[in-house]
Amino acid sequence: MDRFEAGAPGQDEQLMARVAEGDAVAFEALVRRNLRRALVVAQGMTGLAADADEIAQEAFMRVWRHADRWDARKARFSTWLYRIVVNLCLDRKRRPGLVPLDEAFDLPEDGPSAPDRVAWEEERVWVAKAMAEIPDRQRAAIALFYFEGLAGKDAAVAMGLTVPAFEQLLFRARRAVKEKLEGYGFQSWKGGLT
Amino acid sequence: MTDDDFERLLRRSAPAIDDDRLDRITRSILLEQGRMDIQNEGWFGWLTTRSGFAFAGLFLLGVVVNLVVRATGPTPLDFLMSQSLLLPWGG
């Protein structure tokens, strides 16, 4: 069993020290431990599974190439990774000719069992649609804070913001999503929105 | 919907990532990493590795030629020795 599977704090940092020396085994362990979080943020921001896959792959390639640039005294590895992912997503959204976020949304394979499942999946589609219509940085704030469950301080570092600035951004993002959902006449799976 | 309900709604709306997808992307990342390492071997490593093989090949060829020349009867030895002594495979 990989001794890095347990997820104790600091293990990513140990792995990164080895990755910086070109240790491919440590890199694989690092990928297996952190890929899911990179994908959650990337898909939360882009809305497309295919884009999220490409972004996560590119993010880890950057980790491999620039491992020597990471400074453990400045940020945890996960924060550094989130920052790479967010920046890649923002860069991609600036490119012309992108497929709009609401044209595709990957429905989950897991989650609540029937009959709640259909309502739950529908709910996720509505939230994704609302997310697609808010500014990129607001979407990043929601993805980091709600989807990935980061603390405000960590999410702020990942976005290169101060904590008050992040809180303001998150407040605007939350309000924007809520207004969009209300505009659709959305009714939540567990209780109505209005 | 209360603010708490709305926050719960956002939290449970995170994209779901299944294990098959994780495995597929992990393999893709590791493949790309291996490819990148080969590219990063660089021209110097490429050249020195291949020039080492080339030198060894020439050395062996010289040894074979020298043995053949010595084994095949009367030859202009003075000329051959004067040339081969200057070469890496000896005379």
Side-chain angles (χ1 to χ4, degrees), chain A residues 24 28 35-36 43 49 53 57 61 64-65 108 110 120 123-124 127 146-147 174 178 188-189 192-193, chain B residues 1 3 6-7 9-10 12-14 16-17 19 21-22 24-26 28-30 32-33 36-37:
Chain A
E28 180 175 351
L35 179 58
R36 186 183 296 273
Q43 191 165 331
D53 293 356
Q57 180 168 335
M61 287 300 97
W64 176 248
R65 278 198 302 264
D110 54 359
W120 183 60
E123 180 183 88
R124 294 161 63 97
V127 172
Y146 289 110
F147 293 176
R174 200 165 40 212
K178 196 168 184 177
S188 174
W189 167 46
L193 186 66
Chain B
M1 176 181 269
D3 284 348
F6 181 60
E7 296 213 348
L9 166 67
L10 289 177
R12 64 176 179 257
S13 298
I17 314 291
D19 290 343
R21 184 174 166 199
L22 286 174
R24 178 173 50 79
I25 302 169
T26 299
S28 177
I29 289 171
L30 297 178
E32 184 63 25
Q33 177 235 335
M36 190 186 295
D37 280 356

Side-chain angles (χ1 to χ4, degrees), chain A residues 141-142 145-146 165-175:
Chain A
I142 296 237
F145 189 81
Y146 289 110
F166 177 78
E167 286 172 350
Q168 282 187 2
L169 182 68
L170 185 65
F171 175 78
R172 289 197 302 273
R174 200 165 40 212
R175 188 178 57 193

